[in-house]
Amino acid sequence: MSFAPVYNAHSRALILGTWPSPKSREMAFYYGHPQNRFWPMLAALTGEAVPAREDIEAKKQIILRHGLALWDTLERCTITGASDASIRDVVPNDIAGLLAKAPIEAVFCNGATAYKIYTKYLEPISGIPAVKLPSTSPANAACRPDQLKEIWGEALEPWLNNKS
């Protein structure tokens, strides 16, 4: 199951994951694994409170208030557990459809697999080169939370609407 994109008329930068993990599918929203660093990192970068794990609306509002959009590269795939390495039978999401509805000017990929799928299937349609950022997954233990915040913050800073 793929999730609907989170965006509005002010979304200028798109953050793309690969495919929802089993914990995200269980929560029915992006980055639902309790150890995923995405929401704490994004809250720190935007000056927002870290949303409760179950508070999907608060998570959506962080994205929308700050000029961002959130989606995954894949509409469907075959995957074993949460292993990106096992992904096959991919059906990419309709990036053209999203770009027709939101003024996206920049694309950021959460991890190498999202970047690889984006560059192969979606960039030829969007024409927007992506920035590959380190994965916020707990499996990416090599990248500490402070490193994530620094690298993601530097990349997103020009695109974040941090005006309340």
Side-chain angles (χ1 to χ4, degrees):
M1 136 179 91
S2 172
F3 303 139
V6 176
Y7 68 95
N8 65 18
H10 307 288
S11 300
R12 294 177 39 236
L14 172 62
I15 298 170
L16 286 172
T18 305
W19 175 257
S21 72
K23 289 286 185 192
S24 295
R25 294 192 300 270
E26 183 182 296
M27 292 292 303
F29 199 65
Y30 301 94
Y31 306 110
H33 192 290
Q35 267 69 59
N36 193 297
R37 286 96 41 101
F38 182 83
W39 294 111
M41 178 205 60
L42 195 61
L45 295 179
T46 59
E48 300 264 357
V50 178
R53 183 168 176 254
E54 312 77 30
D55 196 344
I56 292 170
E57 191 54 38
K59 292 174 179 180
K60 287 181 181 178
Q61 288 310 310
I62 290 175
I63 295 295
L64 299 175
R65 263 197 299 275
H66 296 281
L68 302 173
L70 183 61
W71 208 15
D72 282 322
T73 55
L74 297 176
E75 177 185 323
R76 287 192 311 276
C77 70
T78 302
I79 186 170
T80 303
S83 170
D84 282 356
S86 74
I87 291 175
R88 61 187 203 287
D89 307 322
V90 302
V91 176
N93 265 320
D94 177 19
I95 192 103
L98 178 61
L99 295 176
K101 299 174 199 166
I104 305 293
E105 300 173 39
V107 175
F108 300 91
C109 293
N110 189 349
T113 304
Y115 180 78
K116 181 178 166 187
I117 292 167
Y118 178 82
T119 55
K120 181 173 183 176
Y121 298 104
L122 303 174
E123 186 178 338
I125 295 162
S126 73
I128 303 170
V131 174
K132 177 173 61 172
L133 295 172
S135 174
T136 60
S137 166
N140 183 18
C143 196
R144 297 183 319 276
D146 58 328
Q147 290 174 299
L148 280 176
K149 185 179 166 191
E150 181 181 334
I151 295 165
W152 277 75
E154 189 175 302
L156 290 178
E157 196 277 326
W159 301 98
L160 284 176
N161 174 4
N162 278 336
K163 300 162 197 71
S164 299

